[in-house]
């Protein structure tokens, strides 16, 4: 890993949501601010706002077996942003215990064979990754434990470590919905009434606190490793 000071490092913060007023976008902006305060130069990548097309296409797989194959101009620009980053932070809503299509498509197209994997010396080696997943489940719902495990397996083991990242952390942030959602013992989804007023403010203040704690914990791990 690079031994540059944090002041010289770059963090790529990737937002995977279609609304700029979403809690996901809010969390991404707060995360970017925390990273800037910690001395990082932040490259904020809003996939939807930048019009990124998550669908794989022939231009990005003209010859699958060729590690030196050319890629589309759009993907090459995104590859450079990943290369320029010491830290990558993905902020996304959890869909079906996974990432949304927008983020998955970005990984499919940009973290391509020959670039992110398929080489004995990975180009992304030494980089560090934080996955911030916002979940509608409540923090006391037993499903969150299994969701955390699934995300860690898919994202850290299946993607980040496979591509040579030296560290990957998944932070699951439950209670992201106004209406509390939980699964009962029979497997039924129970949706409660929307919170409002002071209760809503308290809920989102607690959500922000947990999100901040996840980012600060990641940065502490950065300092220890560095």
């Amino acid at each position: 890993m690079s031994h540059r000071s944090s002041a010289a490092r770059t963090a790529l913060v990737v937002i995977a949501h279609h609304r700029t007023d979403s809690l996901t976008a809010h969390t991404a902006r707060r995360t970017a601010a925390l990273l800037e305060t910690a001395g990082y130069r932040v490259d904020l990548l809003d996939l939807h706002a930048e019009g990124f097309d998550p669908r794989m296409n022939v231009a990005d797989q003209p010859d699958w077996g060729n590690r030196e194959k050319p890629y589309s101009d759009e993907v090459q620009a995104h590859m450079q942003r990943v290369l320029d980053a010491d830290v990558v932070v993905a902020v996304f809503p959890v869909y079906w215990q996974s990432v949304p299509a927008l983020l998955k498509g970005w990984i499919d197209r940009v973290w391509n064979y020959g670039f992110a994997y398929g080489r004995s010396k990975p180009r992304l080696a030494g980089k560090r990754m934080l996955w911030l997943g916002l979940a509608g489940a409540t923090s006391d719902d037993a499903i969150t434990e299994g969701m955390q495990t699934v995300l860690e397996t898919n994202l850290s083991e299946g993607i980040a470590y496979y591509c040579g990242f030296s560290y990957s952390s998944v932070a699951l942030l439950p209670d992201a919905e106004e209406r509390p959602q939980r699964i009962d013992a029979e497997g039924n989804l129970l949706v409660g009434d929307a919170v409002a007023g002071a209760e809503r403010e308290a809920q989102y203040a607690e959500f922000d606190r947990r999100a901040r704690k996840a980012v600060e914990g990641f940065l502490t791990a950065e300092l220890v490793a560095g």
Side-chain angles (χ1 to χ4, degrees), residues 77-167:
H78 280 265
M79 287 176 172
Q80 191 59 52
R81 292 170 79 169
V82 175
L83 285 174
D84 289 343
D86 300 281
V87 166
V88 180
V89 181
V91 190
F92 59 94
V94 177
Y95 288 174
W96 302 110
Q97 301 207 35
S98 186
V99 299
L102 185 60
L103 180 57
K104 179 59 164 59
W106 181 71
I107 293 169
D108 288 347
R109 288 187 64 200
V110 178
W111 299 33
N112 209 322
Y113 175 72
F115 169 68
Y117 68 99
R119 295 177 181 275
S120 57
K121 184 177 180 181
R123 289 179 172 175
L124 306 184
K127 297 183 186 297
R128 301 170 70 79
M129 183 90 200
L130 173 61
W131 309 85
L132 285 176
L134 284 71
T138 55
S139 56
D140 60 350
D141 192 332
I143 198 174
T144 57
E145 183 177 351
M147 190 182 300
Q148 175 79 32
T149 299
V150 168
L151 290 171
E152 287 176 351
T153 300
N154 288 344
L155 303 180
S156 288
E157 296 181 21
I159 298 177
Y161 292 140
Y162 187 75
C163 293
F165 279 70
S166 61
Y167 180 78

Side-chain angles (χ1 to χ4, degrees), residues 1-9 86 126 222-226:
M1 180 176 179
S2 170
H3 292 284
R4 289 178 290 170
S5 68
S6 61
R9 292 183 179 178
D86 300 281
E222 261 273 287
L223 292 174
V224 171

Side-chain angles (χ1 to χ4, degrees), residues 15-224:
I15 308 173
H17 203 284
H18 51 282
R19 294 199 319 271
T20 58
D21 62 348
S22 65
L23 184 59
T24 299
H26 163 82
T27 302
R29 290 190 294 266
R30 286 180 62 89
T31 297
L34 286 171
L35 290 165
E36 288 178 341
T37 299
Y40 286 82
R41 185 186 75 83
V42 172
D43 177 7
L44 191 62
L45 170 55
D46 186 330
L47 292 172
H48 187 268
E50 294 196 18
F52 183 81
D53 185 350
R55 296 173 298 177
M56 181 58 80
N57 56 66
V58 175
D60 292 320
Q61 287 193 344
D63 179 1
W64 172 251
N66 178 12
R67 293 186 308 184
E68 310 303 330
K69 63 183 177 294
Y71 304 93
S72 65
D73 290 343
E74 179 184 28
V75 159
Q76 288 191 94
H78 280 265
M79 287 176 172
Q80 191 59 52
R81 292 170 79 169
V82 175
L83 285 174
D84 289 343
D86 300 281
V87 166
V88 180
V89 181
V91 190
F92 59 94
V94 177
Y95 288 174
W96 302 110
Q97 301 207 35
S98 186
V99 299
L102 185 60
L103 180 57
K104 179 59 164 59
W106 181 71
I107 293 169
D108 288 347
R109 288 187 64 200
V110 178
W111 299 33
N112 209 322
Y113 175 72
F115 169 68
Y117 68 99
R119 295 177 181 275
S120 57
K121 184 177 180 181
R123 289 179 172 175
L124 306 184
K127 297 183 186 297
R128 301 170 70 79
M129 183 90 200
L130 173 61
W131 309 85
L132 285 176
L134 284 71
T138 55
S139 56
D140 60 350
D141 192 332
I143 198 174
T144 57
E145 183 177 351
M147 190 182 300
Q148 175 79 32
T149 299
V150 168
L151 290 171
E152 287 176 351
T153 300
N154 288 344
L155 303 180
S156 288
E157 296 181 21
I159 298 177
Y161 292 140
Y162 187 75
C163 293
F165 279 70
S166 61
Y167 180 78
S168 177
S169 176
V170 175
L172 181 64
L173 302 173
D175 300 305
E177 296 286 349
E178 293 179 6
R179 294 177 179 272
Q181 303 176 13
R182 56 175 56 84
I183 303 295
D184 67 13
E186 285 72 42
N188 301 307
L189 175 64
L190 305 178
V191 181
D193 296 330
V195 297
E199 184 181 0
R200 179 177 179 179
E201 291 181 8
Q203 175 183 331
Y204 286 113
E206 172 60 17
F207 185 91
D208 279 345
R209 185 195 69 78
R210 284 187 281 112
R212 181 186 184 98
K213 182 179 179 181
V215 175
E216 290 177 342
F218 176 76
L219 291 176
T220 299
E222 261 273 287
L223 292 174
V224 171

